[in-house]
Amino acid sequence: MKRLPSYRLTLLCILLLTLSRNLFAQEYKSGPIEKDFSGYLFAYFKGNAVSDESICFALSTNGYTYYALNKNQPVLDSKKISSTGGVRDPHILRGEDGKSFYMVLTDMTSSKGWDSNRALIMLKSSDLINWKHTIINIQDSFKGHENLKRVWAPQTIYDPATAKYMVYWSMKHGNGPDIIYYAYANDKFDGFVSAPKVLFSPKNAKACIDGDIINKNGLFHLFYKTEGNGNGIKLAITDSLTSGNWIEQPGYKQQTRDAVEGSAVFKLNQSDKYILMYDVYGKGKYQFCESCDLDKFRVIDHKVNMDFHPRHGNIISLSRQEISALVNRWGFPEGLQLPKKTNPILEGSYADPDILFSNKTKKYYIYPTSDGFDGWSGNYFKTFSSTDLLNWKDEGVILDLKKDVTWAKQNAWAPTIAEKNVNGNYKYYYYFTVAQKIGVAVSDSPTGPFVDSGKPLISGKPEGVKGGQEIDPAAFTDPKTGKSYLYWGNGYLAVAELNNDMVSLKAGTTKVLQTDKTFREGAYVFFRKGIYYFLWSEEDTRSENYRVRYGTSTSPIGPIKIAENNLILQKDPSQGIYGTGHNSVLKIPGKDEWYIIYHRFPIPDGIKMGDAAGFNREVCMDSMFFDQEGNIIPVKPTN
């Protein structure tokens, strides 16, 4: 039997322990998460001239081709944020909330010598444009650093063990080697809660600088430069940042014989691939290498293009909205191709969209299922707002099952919203599916916070129904009578009148409406010119043939008349569009202008994903028209 080397056995044990710890962990972020990312931000400085020791930004939409923002000029004034007049080695981290950003910098200018700096800079932003900064002079702020010579290359990582942000950097004292230290940031990210401590020092007691840590499956991978000792990138791994139990890996990770420094690792969006990049400073260029395991790397320089020459920096992922904000501030780089603001209208994986025009805010809101979770296992709901139906703002999580709902914790699906004017004040009633039951939550704002009623509104089947599920609620207020109704069902279509409180059903009003064998789920009801329209989805959401049919009535509770040619939305293979279904409908206020909002398989790969296409869907919107008799003209889905 072949034995594994001791360090590999240790790594295996760490990995198994970490996986067991995180098996049921599933956190959300109120900002964009990986499935929402559309591009990348590269933060860097340019060189050793004082004018080049400043922070520049570049953008990419594919992770390989980068375009400098602001014509490759600084986005921050070094003289205003530093004590030396220069800054180097920028590192940006997206916060755990998904919408905060932390940046740390070396406070130095090389014109004053390599042993001239004693400080680092901490910055925080909510938009990547406006930054609050603090200068931390280590020698002045903490005892025991009288012979400190330099402070280099700070970075930040979130430590889940302490729920704090750790800043780490290399320092050299007297004639000793450069060693990587750390300190935890305070809540404002403008100082440290304790004095710096040693984070990592190689067993050979040689110098190490430019540490870069990435968390992969609970294991912290530290890439560092062996300063003056090979000038290459090495790797050490641990499952606890401050334990001191770093397992140093053999060999070097750079794929060149040239001296390198300033390594940084980032994950490609919606991929299992990682990019290790580093500064080949002797040749004035960067090298990119690709890996899936953070152990073996291969050079991919042939894929990489830049219209600038960066020095030591890092790369983070961005949403389309964040890219647009940066472009609006710093100008549009020539050659950059932004993601189009057409279908899909929301960034990332979302499904079952319910749309509302709020009379209170005069904005549009979409309330979807948060998709992209295996087996429809999401546990939170978001909303998105817009003033023009083109640009949609992520308003964050409005209902979190783990914190806000006591009676169920999984399968957050298919919500619907109702706005009501109650004694001169608008209230919002949010009906949602959880664990195949329907609940209701209330708020004074379309963006929440929503307060759950504390129990399911619907938890059992209507009388006479034996199969199906209690899912997919749809709220409708009859403009003729002012009465509000709730529709729901999978395999059957039920309706009940809502009481005036909007959080309970009127006794004796529940009934099952007769449709036809095409009815599966996703009912939606709207009113136009005296006609009540009932829309529903046919087939299964995992099927490429998922599609929308409709019927009409003279009453919100039926009976429903179904025309022979009632299919109004279906796949279009010529455009790569499949799985079009579970819709809502929007009427533009004051106009006879209508839109259908629905989900479909993700393009272009959805048709190849099998069942996974059914829980990685994307939200789209297209115009909807009627003929002179009031029939819905079949909708042509678009890209």
Side-chain angles (χ1 to χ4, degrees), residues 449-484:
F450 283 86
V451 178
D452 178 55
S453 67
K455 61 182 179 180
L457 175 61
I458 299 170
S459 59
K461 292 178 173 34
E463 183 177 352
V465 174
K466 295 182 179 180
Q469 301 180 82
E470 289 62 69
I471 64 172
D472 295 0
F476 169 71
T477 297
D478 187 351
K480 295 174 65 174
T481 65
K483 294 181 180 180
S484 294

CSV table of all heavy atoms in Angstrom, one decimal, residues 449-484:
chain,number,residue,atom,x,y,z
A,449,PRO,N,-38.3,46.4,5.7
A,449,PRO,CA,-38.3,45.0,6.1
A,449,PRO,C,-39.8,44.5,6.2
A,449,PRO,O,-40.7,45.2,6.6
A,449,PRO,CB,-37.6,45.0,7.4
A,449,PRO,CG,-37.9,46.4,8.0
A,449,PRO,CD,-37.9,47.3,6.8
A,450,PHE,N,-39.9,43.2,5.8
A,450,PHE,CA,-41.2,42.5,6.0
A,450,PHE,C,-41.3,41.7,7.2
A,450,PHE,O,-40.3,41.0,7.6
A,450,PHE,CB,-41.5,41.6,4.7
A,450,PHE,CG,-41.9,42.4,3.5
A,450,PHE,CD1,-40.9,42.9,2.7
A,450,PHE,CD2,-43.2,42.6,3.2
A,450,PHE,CE1,-41.3,43.7,1.5
A,450,PHE,CE2,-43.6,43.3,2.1
A,450,PHE,CZ,-42.6,43.8,1.2
A,451,VAL,N,-42.4,41.8,7.9
A,451,VAL,CA,-42.6,41.0,9.2
A,451,VAL,C,-43.5,39.9,8.9
A,451,VAL,O,-44.7,40.1,8.5
A,451,VAL,CB,-43.1,41.9,10.3
A,451,VAL,CG1,-43.3,41.1,11.5
A,451,VAL,CG2,-42.1,43.1,10.5
A,452,ASP,N,-43.1,38.7,9.1
A,452,ASP,CA,-43.9,37.5,8.9
A,452,ASP,C,-45.0,37.4,9.9
A,452,ASP,O,-44.9,37.8,11.1
A,452,ASP,CB,-43.0,36.2,9.0
A,452,ASP,CG,-43.8,35.0,8.8
A,452,ASP,OD1,-44.5,34.8,7.8
A,452,ASP,OD2,-43.7,34.1,9.7
A,453,SER,N,-46.1,36.8,9.5
A,453,SER,CA,-47.3,36.7,10.4
A,453,SER,C,-47.1,35.7,11.5
A,453,SER,O,-47.8,35.7,12.5
A,453,SER,CB,-48.5,36.3,9.5
A,453,SER,OG,-48.4,34.9,9.1
A,454,GLY,N,-46.1,34.8,11.3
A,454,GLY,CA,-45.8,33.9,12.4
A,454,GLY,C,-46.4,32.5,12.2
A,454,GLY,O,-46.1,31.6,12.9
A,455,LYS,N,-47.1,32.3,11.1
A,455,LYS,CA,-47.7,31.0,10.8
A,455,LYS,C,-48.1,31.0,9.3
A,455,LYS,O,-48.2,32.0,8.7
A,455,LYS,CB,-48.9,30.7,11.6
A,455,LYS,CG,-50.0,31.8,11.4
A,455,LYS,CD,-51.2,31.5,12.3
A,455,LYS,CE,-52.3,32.6,12.1
A,455,LYS,NZ,-53.5,32.3,12.9
A,456,PRO,N,-48.2,29.8,8.7
A,456,PRO,CA,-48.6,29.7,7.3
A,456,PRO,C,-50.0,30.2,7.1
A,456,PRO,O,-50.9,29.9,8.0
A,456,PRO,CB,-48.4,28.2,7.0
A,456,PRO,CG,-48.5,27.5,8.3
A,456,PRO,CD,-47.9,28.4,9.3
A,457,LEU,N,-50.3,30.8,6.0
A,457,LEU,CA,-51.6,31.2,5.7
A,457,LEU,C,-52.4,30.0,5.0
A,457,LEU,O,-53.5,29.8,5.2
A,457,LEU,CB,-51.5,32.4,4.7
A,457,LEU,CG,-52.9,32.9,4.1
A,457,LEU,CD1,-53.8,33.4,5.1
A,457,LEU,CD2,-52.6,34.0,3.0
A,458,ILE,N,-51.6,29.3,4.2
A,458,ILE,CA,-52.2,28.1,3.6
A,458,ILE,C,-51.2,26.9,3.8
A,458,ILE,O,-50.1,27.0,3.4
A,458,ILE,CB,-52.4,28.3,2.1
A,458,ILE,CG1,-53.4,29.4,1.8
A,458,ILE,CG2,-52.9,27.0,1.4
A,458,ILE,CD1,-53.4,29.9,0.4
A,459,SER,N,-51.7,25.9,4.5
A,459,SER,CA,-50.9,24.7,4.8
A,459,SER,C,-51.5,23.4,4.4
A,459,SER,O,-50.9,22.3,4.6
A,459,SER,CB,-50.5,24.7,6.3
A,459,SER,OG,-51.7,24.6,7.0
A,460,GLY,N,-52.7,23.4,3.8
A,460,GLY,CA,-53.4,22.2,3.4
A,460,GLY,C,-54.1,22.3,2.1
A,460,GLY,O,-54.2,23.4,1.6
A,461,LYS,N,-54.5,21.2,1.6
A,461,LYS,CA,-55.2,21.2,0.3
A,461,LYS,C,-56.6,21.6,0.4
A,461,LYS,O,-57.3,21.3,1.4
A,461,LYS,CB,-55.1,19.8,-0.4
A,461,LYS,CG,-53.6,19.5,-0.8
A,461,LYS,CD,-53.6,18.1,-1.3
A,461,LYS,CE,-52.2,17.8,-1.9
A,461,LYS,NZ,-51.1,18.3,-1.2
A,462,PRO,N,-57.2,22.3,-0.6
A,462,PRO,CA,-58.6,22.6,-0.7
A,462,PRO,C,-59.4,21.3,-0.7
A,462,PRO,O,-58.9,20.2,-1.1
A,462,PRO,CB,-58.8,23.3,-2.0
A,462,PRO,CG,-57.4,23.8,-2.4
A,462,PRO,CD,-56.5,22.8,-1.8
A,463,GLU,N,-60.6,21.4,-0.3
A,463,GLU,CA,-61.5,20.2,-0.2
A,463,GLU,C,-61.7,19.6,-1.6
A,463,GLU,O,-61.9,20.3,-2.6
A,463,GLU,CB,-62.9,20.6,0.3
A,463,GLU,CG,-63.8,19.4,0.5
A,463,GLU,CD,-65.2,19.8,1.1
A,463,GLU,OE1,-65.3,21.0,1.5
A,463,GLU,OE2,-66.1,19.0,1.1
A,464,GLY,N,-61.5,18.3,-1.6
A,464,GLY,CA,-61.6,17.5,-2.9
A,464,GLY,C,-60.3,17.4,-3.7
A,464,GLY,O,-60.3,16.6,-4.6
A,465,VAL,N,-59.2,18.1,-3.3
A,465,VAL,CA,-58.0,18.0,-4.0
A,465,VAL,C,-57.1,17.0,-3.3
A,465,VAL,O,-56.9,17.0,-2.0
A,465,VAL,CB,-57.3,19.3,-4.0
A,465,VAL,CG1,-55.8,19.2,-4.6
A,465,VAL,CG2,-58.1,20.3,-4.8
A,466,LYS,N,-56.5,16.0,-4.0
A,466,LYS,CA,-55.7,15.0,-3.4
A,466,LYS,C,-54.2,15.1,-3.8
A,466,LYS,O,-53.3,14.7,-3.0
A,466,LYS,CB,-56.2,13.6,-3.8
A,466,LYS,CG,-57.6,13.3,-3.3
A,466,LYS,CD,-58.0,11.9,-3.7
A,466,LYS,CE,-59.4,11.6,-3.1
A,466,LYS,NZ,-59.9,10.2,-3.5
A,467,GLY,N,-53.9,15.6,-5.0
A,467,GLY,CA,-52.5,15.7,-5.4
A,467,GLY,C,-52.0,17.1,-5.5
A,467,GLY,O,-52.7,18.1,-5.1
A,468,GLY,N,-50.8,17.3,-6.0
A,468,GLY,CA,-50.3,18.7,-6.2
A,468,GLY,C,-49.7,19.2,-4.9
A,468,GLY,O,-49.5,18.6,-3.9
A,469,GLN,N,-49.3,20.5,-5.0
A,469,GLN,CA,-48.6,21.2,-3.9
A,469,GLN,C,-49.2,22.6,-3.7
A,469,GLN,O,-49.8,23.2,-4.6
A,469,GLN,CB,-47.1,21.4,-4.2
A,469,GLN,CG,-46.4,20.1,-4.5
A,469,GLN,CD,-44.9,20.4,-4.8
A,469,GLN,OE1,-44.1,20.6,-3.9
A,469,GLN,NE2,-44.6,20.5,-6.1
A,470,GLU,N,-49.1,23.0,-2.4
A,470,GLU,CA,-49.6,24.3,-2.1
A,470,GLU,C,-48.5,25.4,-2.3
A,470,GLU,O,-47.8,25.8,-1.3
A,470,GLU,CB,-50.1,24.3,-0.6
A,470,GLU,CG,-51.3,23.5,-0.4
A,470,GLU,CD,-51.2,22.1,-0.7
A,470,GLU,OE1,-50.5,21.4,0.0
A,470,GLU,OE2,-51.8,21.6,-1.7
A,471,ILE,N,-48.4,25.8,-3.5
A,471,ILE,CA,-47.3,26.7,-3.9
A,471,ILE,C,-47.8,27.8,-4.9
A,471,ILE,O,-49.0,27.8,-5.2
A,471,ILE,CB,-46.1,25.9,-4.6
A,471,ILE,CG1,-46.6,25.3,-5.9
A,471,ILE,CG2,-45.5,24.9,-3.7
A,471,ILE,CD1,-45.5,24.7,-6.7
A,472,ASP,N,-46.9,28.7,-5.2
A,472,ASP,CA,-47.2,29.7,-6.3
A,472,ASP,C,-48.4,30.6,-6.0
A,472,ASP,O,-49.3,30.6,-6.8
A,472,ASP,CB,-47.3,29.0,-7.7
A,472,ASP,CG,-46.1,28.3,-8.1
A,472,ASP,OD1,-45.1,28.3,-7.4
A,472,ASP,OD2,-46.1,27.7,-9.2
A,473,PRO,N,-48.4,31.4,-4.9
A,473,PRO,CA,-49.5,32.3,-4.7
A,473,PRO,C,-49.4,33.4,-5.7
A,473,PRO,O,-48.4,33.8,-6.2
A,473,PRO,CB,-49.2,32.8,-3.3
A,473,PRO,CG,-47.7,32.7,-3.2
A,473,PRO,CD,-47.3,31.4,-3.9
A,474,ALA,N,-50.6,34.0,-6.0
A,474,ALA,CA,-50.8,35.1,-6.9
A,474,ALA,C,-51.9,36.0,-6.3
A,474,ALA,O,-53.0,35.6,-6.1
A,474,ALA,CB,-51.1,34.7,-8.3
A,475,ALA,N,-51.5,37.3,-6.0
A,475,ALA,CA,-52.5,38.2,-5.4
A,475,ALA,C,-53.1,39.1,-6.5
A,475,ALA,O,-52.4,39.5,-7.4
A,475,ALA,CB,-51.8,39.1,-4.3
A,476,PHE,N,-54.4,39.3,-6.3
A,476,PHE,CA,-55.1,40.2,-7.3
A,476,PHE,C,-56.2,40.9,-6.6
A,476,PHE,O,-57.0,40.4,-5.8
A,476,PHE,CB,-55.7,39.3,-8.4
A,476,PHE,CG,-56.7,40.0,-9.3
A,476,PHE,CD1,-56.2,41.0,-10.2
A,476,PHE,CD2,-58.1,39.8,-9.3
A,476,PHE,CE1,-57.1,41.6,-11.1
A,476,PHE,CE2,-58.9,40.5,-10.1
A,476,PHE,CZ,-58.4,41.4,-11.0
A,477,THR,N,-56.3,42.2,-6.9
A,477,THR,CA,-57.3,43.1,-6.3
A,477,THR,C,-58.2,43.5,-7.5
A,477,THR,O,-57.8,44.1,-8.5
A,477,THR,CB,-56.8,44.3,-5.6
A,477,THR,OG1,-56.0,43.9,-4.5
A,477,THR,CG2,-57.9,45.2,-5.2
A,478,ASP,N,-59.5,43.2,-7.4
A,478,ASP,CA,-60.5,43.5,-8.4
A,478,ASP,C,-60.7,45.0,-8.5
A,478,ASP,O,-61.3,45.6,-7.5
A,478,ASP,CB,-61.8,42.7,-8.1
A,478,ASP,CG,-62.8,42.8,-9.2
A,478,ASP,OD1,-62.6,43.6,-10.2
A,478,ASP,OD2,-63.8,42.1,-9.2
A,479,PRO,N,-60.4,45.6,-9.6
A,479,PRO,CA,-60.6,47.1,-9.7
A,479,PRO,C,-62.1,47.5,-9.7
A,479,PRO,O,-62.4,48.6,-9.5
A,479,PRO,CB,-60.0,47.4,-11.0
A,479,PRO,CG,-60.0,46.2,-11.8
A,479,PRO,CD,-59.8,45.1,-10.8
A,480,LYS,N,-63.0,46.5,-10.0
A,480,LYS,CA,-64.4,46.8,-10.0
A,480,LYS,C,-65.0,46.8,-8.6
A,480,LYS,O,-65.9,47.6,-8.3
A,480,LYS,CB,-65.1,45.8,-10.9
A,480,LYS,CG,-64.7,45.8,-12.4
A,480,LYS,CD,-65.4,44.7,-13.2
A,480,LYS,CE,-66.9,44.8,-13.3
A,480,LYS,NZ,-67.4,43.8,-14.2
A,481,THR,N,-64.6,45.9,-7.7
A,481,THR,CA,-65.2,45.8,-6.4
A,481,THR,C,-64.2,46.2,-5.3
A,481,THR,O,-64.7,46.4,-4.1
A,481,THR,CB,-65.6,44.3,-6.2
A,481,THR,OG1,-64.5,43.5,-6.2
A,481,THR,CG2,-66.6,43.9,-7.3
A,482,GLY,N,-62.9,46.2,-5.5
A,482,GLY,CA,-62.0,46.5,-4.5
A,482,GLY,C,-61.6,45.3,-3.6
A,482,GLY,O,-60.8,45.3,-2.7
A,483,LYS,N,-62.3,44.1,-3.9
A,483,LYS,CA,-62.0,42.9,-3.2
A,483,LYS,C,-60.7,42.3,-3.6
A,483,LYS,O,-60.3,42.4,-4.8
A,483,LYS,CB,-63.1,41.9,-3.4
A,483,LYS,CG,-64.4,42.3,-2.8
A,483,LYS,CD,-65.5,41.2,-3.0
A,483,LYS,CE,-66.8,41.6,-2.4
A,483,LYS,NZ,-67.9,40.5,-2.7
A,484,SER,N,-59.9,41.7,-2.7
A,484,SER,CA,-58.7,41.1,-3.0
A,484,SER,C,-58.8,39.6,-2.9
A,484,SER,O,-59.5,39.0,-2.0
A,484,SER,CB,-57.6,41.6,-2.1
A,484,SER,OG,-57.3,43.0,-2.3
